[in-house]
Amino acid sequence: MATRLQFENSCDVGVFSKLTNAYCLAAIGGSENFYSTFESELADVIPVVKTSIAGTRIIGRLCAGNKNGLLVPHNTTDQELQHLRNSLPDQVVVRRIEEKLSALGNCIACNDHVALTHTDLDKETEEIIADVLGVEVFRQTIAGNILVGSYCAFSNRGGLVHPHTSIEDLDELSTLLQVPLVAGTINRGSEVIAAGMTVNDWTAFCGSDTTATELSVIESVFKLREAQPSAIVDEMRKSLIDTCV
Amino acid sequence: MPRKPARHHRLLPVRPLTFSPFARSVARVATAYLVKHYMHNAVQQSAGDEFKEKLKIIGRRSESSEDEEFDGVVQADFAFFDPKPDDFHGVKTLLQSYLDNKQWDLSGFVDLILGQTTVGTVVKLEDDEDNGVFSIITALNLGRYKDHKCITELKEFLLNICHEKDKIGNLRSLLGDEAQKVGLLVSQCVVNLPPELLPPLYDALFDEISWATEDEPTEELRNSFRFKFYLVVSKFYKLNLQQKNANQKRSSSTDKDEAFLYIKPEDEILHKLSMWSFLFPLQTQQVATHELKNYQLTGIVMAVKAEDISSFRQQLHALINGS
């Protein structure tokens, strides 16, 4: 199920949070509403951890992770690192990496099996990503943009990319990632997909400006709708209606 | 397609205000602009046309070999447009801190502004692919939109933050009984917008309001633009005497600081002309720069009578063009 929410009047929830299959990070300083929305959806399943990174609240754009690990930039403080190591499950490896491109969330997009990275990332960083996150790493661009982490969001079941991605690019990325991809927008026409939403295998959180159409696209590409009767009927309708020639 | 207005080229002589090379460059940029050609367009309004006015600011590059400290001379063609649904993200960003850090239906408020195409102006660059919004100005009738969630939340916010007992009665009547005659004046621009744009921007708004009283299709709409009062919600810097005394090392220095520092020049004129006004504290964290260390960012709500607007327009012209 996809949920709409806001962080202090901003619809960029992907900037202030990071959601994976094993944990969820939320920025401190927002109203309790923000944090409690995550808790109500996720509390029983995965831990929701309040944190800051490098003293800022833009944690979603500074770190990259999946169920195996979390990578944080070099300017993360020691206390923040310790707090993350204490609060996250033991199997999640938290690693601080020395990379000059410190907005890791903008440079790396990943799920539990594959990662797409910024073309100028260090070779060393690429190896650390493959090692800590347990993924296969591909250097890619999305619709000509090198900040792959900003312009796409994908989980193990589907992905949403920049609206101007060409069909050929879409097919190529889909083959690399092995998940169905769709080009679309978030938050009423915004192209910066990953800033406006955060997603894992069973739930997604989108900014409150997201229109109903955008939300239904998200729910269908990430396969968030459980087997609801209405979904089955709609999907079958195409085969039920015959065309008379 | 509309007729493009004839542009009259008239380069004003450069009058530098100080003797430093930097100030001379800034003065050169600020004084070289083309005279705008202003058109009255009832016809264009109904044709749904966007183009209303053009103001060109040209940065003159120095041909001489003298050391130009002011490196980034920017050429910008600003154009005034009617509000359109496409401007949603730009306008929303400008109005992000309109009601301090209160969580309210800002998207609904922006939709109201963009829905009112007859009164309201958006300043953008001409032929800009990014569709960046530099300024928004509009006037919303509080009575006409009283059922919208954003307006009820706004009224509630204003009534809650008003702690001055003598003003709250006035505020309540403006938001309640008199709401049909009150226009909420919303004006926000990016920090470095050239001030030369402000007089034509305000002129455009008040002219559109008076045209709307004649040109709107229904009697009800025409009446909704016959404003008697304007309500303005804004922010400025107020001198914080306690902080100043704590910061001052020498007790003998004279009080040279002004009581108020206005971020928007028109706020100073509106404050002087206002019937009444009250201040309210802001909760958002402020960045304290060295020059502003004695000042506190404060919110202000002002009510201005519609009759005083012509005086406001004159004073704004004098302030921007005279200085």
Side-chain angles (χ1 to χ4, degrees):
Chain A
M1 270 311 294
T3 319
R4 284 192 190 109
L5 74 164
Q6 278 191 357
F7 180 87
E8 273 187 11
N9 266 338
S10 165
C11 294
D12 292 324
V13 292
V15 172
F16 301 102
S17 63
K18 188 100 208 156
L19 179 64
T20 68
N21 288 323
Y23 55 87
C24 176
L25 303 178
I28 51 178
S31 69
E32 277 309 305
N33 270 338
F34 185 69
Y35 189 58
S36 58
T37 314
F38 281 105
E39 286 258 277
S40 61
E41 283 289 318
L42 305 167
D44 301 329
V45 197
I46 55 178
V48 182
V49 180
K50 265 192 190 173
T51 182
S52 66
I53 291 187
T56 69
R57 304 187 298 182
I58 51 168
I59 59 175
R61 303 293 88 221
L62 291 182
C63 68
N66 61 14
K67 74 172 181 355
N68 301 319
L70 176 69
L71 298 173
V72 293
H74 62 88
N75 42 2
T76 315
T77 65
D78 292 331
Q79 291 107 307
E80 289 164 351
L81 194 58
Q82 199 54 43
H83 171 62
L84 284 168
R85 287 213 171 105
N86 291 340
S87 325
L88 295 180
D90 292 330
Q91 72 268 24
V92 177
V93 178
V94 183
R95 183 86 171 262
R96 179 164 56 188
I97 60 180
E98 300 300 320
E99 162 63 60
K100 71 174 189 307
L101 298 173
S102 56
L104 298 175
N106 285 338
C107 298
I108 304 167
C110 63
N111 62 11
D112 295 333
H113 309 291
V114 191
L116 296 180
T117 65
H118 191 292
T119 46
D120 299 337
L121 222 58
D122 285 346
K123 198 79 184 79
E124 210 180 296
T125 309
E126 195 181 313
E127 286 164 17
I128 298 176
I129 297 172
D131 181 40
V132 171
L133 301 184
V135 293
E136 214 180 322
V137 181
F138 297 103
R139 288 170 192 264
Q140 275 289 326
T141 62
I142 297 200
N145 288 304
I146 46 177
L147 292 178
V148 287
S150 309
Y151 290 102
C152 77
F154 61 97
S155 70
N156 295 324
R157 308 181 71 190
L160 185 65
V161 297
H162 189 288
H164 297 154
T165 313
S166 63
I167 309 274
E168 298 84 38
D169 280 355
L170 215 53
D171 285 336
E172 190 190 329
L173 285 170
S174 192
T175 327
L176 279 179
L177 303 177
Q178 292 294 302
V179 293
L181 294 179
V182 99
T185 62
I186 188 84
N187 279 337
R188 209 160 145 169
S190 169
E191 301 170 338
V192 194
I193 310 289
M197 66 175 288
T198 184
V199 63
N200 69 5
D201 285 350
W202 66 87
T203 189
F205 295 92
C206 311
S208 55
D209 277 341
T210 310
T211 63
T213 319
E214 289 168 340
L215 212 64
S216 69
V217 168
I218 287 167
E219 286 187 344
S220 84
V221 79
F222 288 105
K223 304 203 181 50
L224 300 175
R225 284 187 212 118
E226 270 87 57
Q228 285 167 3
S230 58
I232 293 174
V233 167
D234 289 335
E235 251 119 62
M236 285 184 66
R237 184 160 288 155
K238 284 173 226 156
S239 55
L240 293 172
I241 296 172
D242 275 350
T243 50
C244 293
V245 178
Chain B
M1 279 304 284
R3 225 177 56 228
K4 279 213 165 173
R7 266 171 275 163
H8 302 285
H9 292 253
R10 191 183 79 198
L11 293 171
L12 301 175
V14 174
R15 282 191 216 95
L17 301 168
T18 70
F19 296 105
S20 80
F22 173 73
R24 246 182 275 139
S25 325
V26 172
R28 224 176 281 141
V29 173
T31 56
Y33 65 90
L34 300 172
V35 172
K36 64 196 182 301
H37 191 96
Y38 196 59
M39 286 201 299
H40 174 15
N41 272 320
V43 177
Q44 282 194 356
Q45 274 174 341
S46 55
D49 188 77
E50 306 156 0
F51 190 87
K52 290 190 295 200
E53 185 166 331
K54 187 183 279 198
L55 187 71
K56 204 171 201 163
I57 297 180
I58 296 178
R60 279 211 290 207
R61 294 183 199 283
S62 170
E63 298 301 337
S64 69
S65 56
E66 75 177 60
D67 187 21
E68 195 73 78
E69 283 162 30
F70 189 51
D71 259 336
V73 174
V74 179
Q75 276 230 17
D77 286 352
F78 290 104
F80 291 11
F81 295 93
D82 281 338
K84 280 202 313 283
D86 279 348
D87 302 325
F88 178 81
H89 289 288
V91 175
K92 186 170 181 199
T93 315
L94 282 174
L95 295 177
Q96 199 71 32
S97 55
Y98 188 62
L99 289 190
D100 197 14
N101 63 352
K102 176 183 161 88
Q103 264 204 315
W104 66 303
D105 187 17
L106 179 60
S107 304
F109 188 61
V110 175
D111 283 333
L112 276 189
I113 293 176
L114 299 177
Q116 195 176 270
T117 50
T118 48
V119 169
T121 304
V122 172
V123 177
K124 296 195 279 202
L125 290 179
E126 200 158 315
D127 304 329
D128 182 16
E129 297 123 28
D130 288 333
N131 211 29
V133 175
F134 284 77
S135 179
I136 173 74
I137 189 167
T138 190
L140 298 174
N141 184 310
L142 287 179
R144 177 181 174 190
Y145 298 113
K146 68 179 188 307
D147 296 323
H148 285 87
K149 183 163 163 242
C150 49
I151 297 295
T152 40
E153 286 179 331
L154 183 128
K155 287 184 184 174
E156 194 191 305
F157 174 80
L158 292 178
L159 288 169
N160 282 342
I161 46 135
C162 180
H163 297 303
E164 294 179 35
K165 292 191 184 62
D166 47 344
K167 312 282 167 53
I168 195 152
N170 294 331
L171 182 66
R172 237 185 228 123
S173 81
L174 276 192
L175 296 178
D177 309 322
E178 309 260 337
Q180 273 296 337
K181 306 195 201 86
V182 178
L184 182 71
L185 191 63
V186 182
S187 159
Q188 194 63 260
C189 49
V190 294
V191 184
N192 53 354
L193 195 76
E196 290 84 8
L197 285 173
L198 292 171
L201 197 58
Y202 276 91
D203 284 344
L205 178 73
F206 293 115
D207 284 343
E208 281 188 308
I209 291 174
S210 66
W211 299 336
T213 57
E214 293 154 27
D215 299 329
E216 285 284 355
T218 70
E219 181 67 38
E220 199 188 328
L221 284 176
R222 285 197 284 270
N223 282 337
S224 73
F225 287 108
R226 290 184 221 278
F227 297 123
K228 290 237 166 50
F229 309 101
Y230 290 98
L231 200 61
V232 181
V233 181
S234 185
K235 297 181 194 59
F236 66 148
Y237 286 100
K238 192 181 112 177
L239 184 64
N240 187 336
L241 284 167
Q242 291 162 324
Q243 234 173 307
K244 179 178 176 169
N245 289 333
N247 285 336
Q248 266 179 359
K249 287 173 195 162
R250 288 166 296 164
S251 52
S252 57
S253 62
T254 51
D255 191 347
K256 274 177 279 185
D257 294 325
E258 294 176 23
F260 301 129
L261 268 185
Y262 297 93
I263 305 169
K264 297 192 282 188
E266 62 269 27
D267 279 349
E268 189 174 359
I269 308 171
L270 285 170
H271 195 191
K272 286 205 193 82
L273 289 172
S274 60
M275 293 191 303
W276 52 262
S277 65
F278 65 87
L279 304 177
F280 61 92
L282 294 176
Q283 270 145 21
T284 40
Q285 275 182 334
Q286 295 138 40
V287 184
T289 61
H290 175 73
E291 298 87 10
L292 293 172
K293 64 177 189 294
N294 292 331
Y295 286 87
Q296 178 105 6
L297 192 64
T298 320
I300 182 170
V301 178
M302 310 182 257
V304 182
K305 280 203 276 256
E307 298 115 39
D308 294 332
I309 287 301
S310 48
S311 163
F312 163 71
R313 286 165 79 165
Q314 278 169 358
Q315 288 187 37
L316 187 64
H317 271 274
L319 179 67
I320 304 289
N321 298 330
S323 59

